[in-house]
Amino acid sequence: MSFPAPRSLRRPLAALAVLGLPATLAAAPPAEATAVPPPPPGWTLVWSDDFDGAAGAPPSSDNWTISTGHGYPGGPGNWGTGEIQRYTADPSNLGLDGNGNLRITPVKGPSGEWTSSRVETRRANFKPADGQVLRIEARIQMPDVTGPQALGYWPAFWALGSPYRGDYWNWPAIGEFDIMENVNGINSVWGVLHCGVNPGGPCNETSGLGASRACPGASCQSGMHAYRFEWDRSTTPNELRWYVDGEQYHSVSESRLGAETWTKMTEHEGYFLLLNVAMGGAFPDGVAGHATPTAETVSGRPLTADYVAVWQGKDA
């Protein structure tokens, strides 16, 4: 039976293209936390979280909900992706670091079970006004692990259409924007759009319409980078764009998808945002060519998020 599979069976060809990179890359300590950048002229801040708070505290319950278990009640098992970890709210998996960052840490317990965390914004109406651009950004250091020790790590920063809440079987028509995905400690960021029908359709499901590139400067694993997505309603046709550190590497035009697909993806209330680190599943397994994680995979390497912010505006 085919079922909704956000972030699954992803981009095997694009992934294999970057597997020629060295298995290990120069590591560096996590960057210091920074303030949410001020909006440029013509832009306003819609929403943000700077992850300030005491070490070990959970993220703000005013801003985030914590998903737990192996799937939504009534939804597909293993979150529809084949990932193996159990999500928890335990401080060993999720918490502020006391220095302005949020950490999501996969942990392998004594029994061999992997646990991790997944958080979602309470707000589910992120959408640009007519004639405006919505900019969604997070400054993130991916888990600092590479090579065989990284097999199965699957960090992500992404957005799902609000109708998914409470239904869980209407994907991909309601839309999914993968702003930052990575697997197996490869120095690459993937940006992907999911839409239409599954399988096939205008978004080539379940793969989606994606692109990838190496992080500028320091590797994705050894330094902080700003991962940005823009939904532009100021142009005709509308356009979706993906960036890393301000450098655009992917775009999808409304005209590529067709009116019906675009309407189903954009004419609902809006989107909610997610941060998580999965372990195993179709994407890392497909890239590795075998099941992940393995006995060599190390425990305890966190995704570190400095801030998440949403702005609206239009460049002059």
Side-chain angles (χ1 to χ4, degrees):
M1 177 180 178
S2 178
F3 55 82
R7 304 177 300 115
S8 74
L9 301 177
R10 298 299 175 76
R11 300 158 304 279
L13 295 179
L16 291 171
V18 296
L19 282 178
L21 291 169
T24 58
L25 295 157
E32 291 294 324
T34 60
V36 173
W43 293 74
T44 57
L45 182 66
V46 174
W47 180 95
S48 69
D49 196 322
D50 208 13
F51 300 123
D52 291 328
S60 167
S61 59
D62 292 335
N63 290 339
W64 303 93
T65 64
I66 303 171
S67 301
T68 59
H70 289 282
Y72 295 113
N78 297 97
W79 303 99
T81 69
E83 58 199 71
I84 68 163
Q85 81 297 317
R86 176 173 57 89
Y87 286 129
T88 85
D90 192 278
S92 64
N93 296 127
L94 178 71
L96 306 179
D97 69 357
N99 294 311
N101 300 302
L102 174 70
R103 291 191 172 187
I104 299 177
T105 308
V107 174
K108 184 178 182 180
S111 69
E113 181 193 32
W114 282 92
T115 58
S116 187
S117 283
R118 168 177 169 139
V119 296
E120 308 178 4
T121 57
R122 288 192 177 276
R123 185 165 172 173
N125 63 347
F126 294 116
K127 179 179 179 178
D130 188 34
Q132 297 289 296
V133 182
L134 192 75
R135 177 178 291 174
I136 304 168
E137 182 175 289
R139 185 170 181 259
I140 292 170
Q141 179 173 354
M142 296 180 192
D144 190 7
V145 59
T146 59
Q149 293 183 326
L151 290 173
Y153 273 78
W154 187 0
F157 170 51
W158 49 304
L160 273 171
S162 59
Y164 193 72
R165 282 188 167 161
D167 186 329
Y168 312 129
W169 298 96
N170 52 14
W171 184 91
I174 47 80
E176 176 182 333
F177 310 139
D178 296 330
I179 305 167
M180 180 283 288
E181 280 192 283
N182 177 267
V183 292
N184 300 344
I186 298 167
N187 179 30
S188 185
V189 53
W190 278 264
V192 187
L193 171 68
H194 291 276
C195 72
V197 297
N198 179 39
C203 274
N204 187 35
E205 299 302 347
T206 54
S207 295
L209 299 178
S212 63
R213 60 155 291 170
C215 287
S219 73
C220 303
Q221 288 74 30
S222 65
M224 287 276 189
H225 297 274
Y227 301 98
R228 182 201 306 170
F229 169 80
E230 291 185 349
W231 175 357
D232 189 347
R233 296 185 68 193
S234 72
T235 63
T236 303
N238 290 183
E239 188 175 58
L240 308 175
R241 296 185 290 267
W242 285 256
Y243 302 78
V244 57
D245 293 341
E247 298 181 13
Q248 183 180 337
Y249 67 96
H250 184 37
S251 65
V252 177
S253 171
E254 174 184 4
S255 60
R256 183 174 179 178
L257 304 181
E260 181 180 0
T261 297
W262 186 265
T263 296
K264 288 182 178 178
M265 186 178 73
T266 62
E267 293 303 316
H268 49 66
E269 182 184 18
Y271 283 72
F272 59 97
L273 311 181
L274 305 94
L275 281 165
N276 68 290
V277 182
M279 295 300 298
F283 188 12
D285 291 2
V287 172
H290 54 75
T292 67
T294 72
E296 293 182 90
T297 306
V298 299
S299 171
R301 305 296 174 88
L303 175 152
T304 304
D306 177 14
Y307 64 77
V308 177
V310 181
W311 299 271
Q312 181 171 263
K314 186 166 63 173
D315 292 330

